């Protein structure tokens, strides 16, 4: 996947990703209309399918709302790269099949507006704008299995079939 | 090699003799929880799995607490999804308005979170039940759906940080202050992916209500869970409530901790977390002059009977300051009733505060006390993120019930001693 980067700072919390005032619905498209708006009000209008979010540490901290990764995914974001993720956001993203990569170097060096190409299997991140390559740890195979089955629901269906 | 409490609980529930930090395991869960925001998504996902029935009707709790009694049509639709699902699946623990409470006040009170158990909830403050010696942790809606179907969840075994609190509690210091102080020291990602074990004389001296407040905010340090080993306080609390048999779990003598951090009670005065992160803490003596428009006493952090008693002790015979609105929200129906019986509600009404039915309400900027642009609140809740209680340009200061009550009386953030 390849796309233009939106850059965010430290500790972007789930209230910034999708404020509670919009949580009276769980429709991903409705949520996507307000995604990231408290962090950057222009984001919901300007984000395009394929764009990539790059953030610093502790992205997605705060509540357990799966609405956060759902809204990001529904907005068309193809991948989120961060220095680190809050743990519930991390598992939610895997469970719903939103690609995410932890890579401190990429999080530091990639700037807003850079064009970036990501290879999830190898964890390689190539910055076309700066001609730099960064290496993230690829997913553990357990999590790769979940991702390969389209998320946790597919994984559970598969497990039930095995029984 | 020995195991920490979290490792041991995970090993038992995964059917293994040992586990190590970093290992990924599938483990059985003792209780699965969801609320009116997260369960609708989980129910939708549950349908996709294609099983007819949940794995166990007595091990799922649905608590409509965030936007209830419903604030608008959409939130009523969400709550109805829970109700319909609970009826269809014949769930034992669906808590309708009138029997409901804020989930993390309610489950311990109902004896549905017990020592040695694994409890997952599609709500980040599920970590509250670590106070009972359980491994309790917040997950997402899809995790909840999968667990409702198969009674299991995947876990990465966390490394454990041990926090020892020595000495004695200073006046007006509670579990809330210990955790705010800790977060102030290690930061909002200071325990990222970790299990925290809280121990020491100070912890032993805490009441169960105070322990629940403390473990409630483990997530605010980024932790997977915060655990206090069961002791007599725990057993006294669960004795009359437990809905199931349980097996307490303790750390081994030779358990391996990633880090051991020691704090001294003498250094810890009541804490206030400034906007917009729980780590921006200061001792009450360092706060300075900060006027407030609203005071909220409630939430899953500090809406228990001990919290209301403390607030009432301070507000008794006094009036709320002229320019301040005070909203008091007992955590559950039982707590509300107890507050009425003990005369606490009278004290609040005399003081000209509002007392509400249990709800999350203003804690997440939902209803019952949303802030306007530029307004400032001191709240006993657990998060002070941008826009958490309303307008993106409003501010939330986090404090314990004693500080909140004193601030209600003076109209600015105040130490309890100022009004006592
Ligand atoms: S009281 Fe606040 S923090 Fe607790 S469950 Fe409700 S919204 Fe979440």
């Amino acid at each position: 996947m390849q796309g233009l980067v939106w850059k965010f700072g430290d500790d972007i919390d789930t209230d910034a990703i999708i404020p509670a005032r919009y949580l009276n619905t769980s429709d991903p498209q409705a949520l996507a209309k307000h995604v990231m708006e408290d962090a950057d009000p222009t984001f919901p209008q300007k984000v395009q399918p394929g764009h990539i979010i790059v953030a610093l540490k502790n992205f997605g901290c705060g509540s357990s709302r799966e609405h956060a990764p759902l809204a990001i995914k529904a907005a068309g974001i193809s991948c989120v790269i961060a220095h680190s993720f809050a743990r519930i956001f991390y598992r939610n993203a895997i469970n719903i099949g939103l690609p995410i990569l932890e890579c401190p170097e990429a999080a530091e060096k990639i700037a807003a507006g850079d064009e970036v190409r990501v290879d999830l299997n190898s964890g390689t991140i190539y910055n076309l704008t700066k001609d730099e390559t960064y290496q993230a740890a690829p997913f553990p195979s357990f999590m790769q299995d979940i991702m390969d089955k389209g998320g946790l629901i597919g994984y559970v269906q598969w497990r039930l079939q095995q029984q | 090699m020995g195991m920490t409490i979290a490792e041991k609980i995970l090993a038992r529930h995964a059917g293994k003799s040992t586990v190590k930090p970093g290992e990924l395991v599938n483990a059985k869960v003792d209780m699965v929880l969801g609320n009116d925001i997260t369960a609708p998504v989980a129910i939708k996902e549950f349908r996709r799995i294609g099983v007819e029935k949940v794995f166990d009707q007595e091990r799922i709790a649905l608590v409509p607490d965030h936007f209830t009694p419903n604030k608008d049509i959409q939130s009523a639709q969400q709550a109805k999804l829970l109700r319909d699902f609970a009826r269809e699946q014949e769930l034992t623990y669906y808590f309708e308005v009138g029997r409901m409470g804020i989930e993390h006040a309610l489950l311990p009170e109902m004896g549905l979170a017990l020592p040695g158990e694994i409890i997952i909830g599609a709500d980040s403050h599920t970590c509250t039940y670590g106070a009972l010696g359980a491994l309790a942790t917040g997950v997402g809606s899809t995790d909840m759906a999968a667990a409702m179907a198969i009674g299991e969840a995947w876990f990465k075994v966390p490394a454990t940080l041990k926090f020892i609190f020595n000495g004695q509690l200073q006046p007006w210091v509670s579990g809330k202050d210990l955790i705010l102080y800790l977060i102030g020291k290690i930061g909002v990602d200071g325990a990222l992916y970790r299990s925290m074990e809280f121990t020491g004389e100070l912890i032993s001296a805490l009441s169960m209500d105070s322990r629940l407040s403390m473990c409630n905010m483990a997530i605010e340090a980024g932790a997977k869970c915060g655990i206090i080993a069961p002791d007599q306080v725990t057993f006294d609390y669960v004795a009359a409530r437990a809905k199931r048999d349980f097996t307490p779990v303790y750390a081994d003598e030779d358990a391996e901790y990633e880090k051991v951090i020691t704090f001294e009670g003498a250094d810890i005065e009541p804490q206030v977390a400034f906007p917009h992160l729980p780590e921006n803490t200061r001792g009450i003596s360092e706060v300075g002059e900060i006027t407030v428009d609203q005071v909220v006493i409630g939430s899953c952090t500090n809406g228990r009977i001990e919290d209301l008693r403390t607030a009432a002790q301070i507000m008794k015979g006094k009036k709320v300051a002229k320019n301040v609105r005070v909203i008091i929200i007992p955590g559950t129906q039982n707590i509300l009733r107890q507050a009425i019986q003990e005369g606490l509600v009278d004290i609040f009404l005399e003081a000209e505060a509002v007392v509400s039915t249990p709800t999350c309400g203003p804690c997440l900027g939902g209803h019952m006390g949303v802030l306007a642009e530029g307004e400032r609140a001191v709240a006993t809740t657990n998060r002070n993120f941008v826009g958490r209680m309303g307008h993106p340009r409003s501010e939330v200061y986090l404090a314990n019930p004693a500080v909140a009550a004193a601030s209600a009386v003076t109209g600015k953030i105040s130490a309890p001693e100022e009004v006592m």
Side-chain angles (χ1 to χ4, degrees), chain A residues 66 87 91-92 95 102 157, chain B residues 48 140-143 154 193:
Chain A
E66 205 157 296
R87 58 162 287 276
R91 64 184 296 139
N92 283 344
N95 287 344
E102 249 174 10
Q157 286 169 335
Chain B
R48 285 204 318 153
S141 296
T142 300
D143 283 304
W154 63 270
Y193 306 130

Side-chain angles (χ1 to χ4, degrees), chain B residues 65-66 102-104 123 125 299-300 360 363-364 382 388:
Chain B
D65 56 357
H66 279 62
I102 299 173
E103 52 199 308
H104 311 306
D123 189 276
H125 292 103
S299 86
C300 60
C360 293
C363 172
L364 79 162
N382 47 39
R388 175 73 180 180

Side-chain angles (χ1 to χ4, degrees), chain A residues 1-3 50 52 78-79 99 116-120:
Chain A
M1 57 192 69
Q2 182 174 327
I52 290 172
S78 61
C79 179
V116 163
R117 187 186 308 143
V118 179
D119 179 0
L120 279 180

Side-chain angles (χ1 to χ4, degrees), chain A residues 11 13-16 20-21 23-28 38 57-58 61-67 70 84-88 90-92 94-96 102 140 142-143 146 150-157 159-160 163, chain B residues 24 26 37-38 40-41 44-45 48-49 51 67 72 74-75 78 122-124 137-143 145-146 150 152-156 188-189 192-193 219 222-224 277 279 364 383 385-386 388 390 392:
Chain A
D11 303 314
D13 60 74
T14 52
D15 282 283
R21 57 184 180 275
L23 295 186
N24 53 9
T25 175
S26 58
D27 171 34
D38 283 0
K57 73 176 178 68
N58 205 20
C61 61
S63 91
S64 67
R65 62 187 72 148
E66 205 157 296
H67 309 65
L70 276 176
S84 61
F85 291 93
R87 58 162 287 276
I88 306 179
Y90 188 84
R91 64 184 296 139
N92 283 344
I94 288 168
N95 287 344
I96 68 161
E102 249 174 10
F142 183 91
M143 292 182 192
I146 295 176
L152 186 64
I153 297 302
Y155 177 77
V156 168
Q157 286 169 335
R159 268 194 50 191
L160 289 170
Q163 283 172 8
Chain B
L24 288 150
N26 279 309
I37 292 184
T38 58
V41 180
K44 201 159 79 188
E45 294 300 305
R48 285 204 318 153
I49 296 173
V51 293
F67 295 146
D72 57 21
Q74 275 179 310
S75 68
Q78 299 277 97
D123 189 276
S124 57
T137 190
V139 297
S141 296
T142 300
D143 283 304
I150 59 173
E152 280 182 24
W154 63 270
F155 296 94
K156 187 164 161 191
V188 292
D189 63 347
L192 197 61
Y193 306 130
I219 179 71
K224 180 181 216 114
L277 282 177
E279 70 185 20
L364 79 162
R383 290 196 173 131
F385 301 152
V386 172
R388 175 73 180 180

Side-chain angles (χ1 to χ4, degrees), chain B residues 36-97:
Chain B
D36 52 324
I37 292 184
T38 58
V41 180
I43 291 166
K44 201 159 79 188
E45 294 300 305
F46 177 83
R47 305 273 187 224
R48 285 204 318 153
I49 296 173
V51 293
E52 291 282 310
K53 283 278 172 194
V54 298
F55 84 106
D56 187 338
Q57 289 144 316
E58 292 184 12
R59 289 184 184 269
I60 292 160
L62 295 183
V63 189
D65 56 357
H66 279 62
F67 295 146
T68 55
N70 288 120
K71 67 167 186 136
D72 57 21
I73 294 170
Q74 275 179 310
S75 68
Q77 295 294 133
Q78 299 277 97
K80 186 167 184 299
L81 282 171
L82 270 65
R83 188 176 304 124
D84 291 349
F85 184 75
R87 285 184 191 154
E88 168 205 307
Q89 295 284 327
E90 300 171 62
L91 302 184
T92 314
Y93 299 115
Y94 165 69
F95 296 95
E96 188 55 273
V97 170

